[in-house]
Amino acid sequence: MNITTAIDGTTATITLDGDIDFDTMPPLRAAADALPAHVDDVLWDLNHTAFMDVAGLHLLLAPTPPHRPKRRTTVTGLRPQPLRLLLLAAETNPAVFDLARLLANTPSTGVGRPSPKA
């Protein structure tokens, strides 16, 4: 797995090239933990992430521990399998898996939304 971090003002973009699973969590968490304190927005670029398991849910949606700075987390470049996992999690427990804040810049898929009335 390759991880690249770019910081522009108060926004950090963490770009991955590889899967997100239990084995890749330590370097991913380390990349997020190493961000400077002034960073308050984290964008995870998943254009090169074909697979994500439940570890990705923890990485992207877990509450911020008290000893870490609060940061807004968003994601871009979701490929089909990671997107489907996030949508399934949201369908299962929408109160816990709030995708509205995470997918702020991702085009709507229409999945799970009622059809407009004719």
Side-chain angles (χ1 to χ4, degrees), residues 32-104:
D33 289 347
L35 294 173
H38 75 275
V39 169
D40 57 14
D41 285 310
V42 178
L43 173 64
W44 291 91
D45 181 348
L46 303 183
N47 277 294
H48 302 287
T49 301
F51 174 80
M52 179 174 80
D53 68 10
V54 71
L57 297 177
H58 288 281
L59 178 71
L60 300 172
L61 295 164
T64 304
H67 66 281
R68 290 193 183 134
K70 284 261 188 211
R71 295 180 168 136
R72 184 175 81 108
T73 300
T74 54
V75 66
T76 189
L78 283 167
R79 296 184 60 193
Q81 189 277 330
L83 176 59
R84 184 69 185 135
L85 177 63
L86 289 168
L87 292 171
L88 284 171
E91 287 175 17
T92 303
N93 196 340
V96 172
F97 300 108
D98 177 14
L99 298 188
R101 69 173 177 82
L102 184 66
L103 303 177

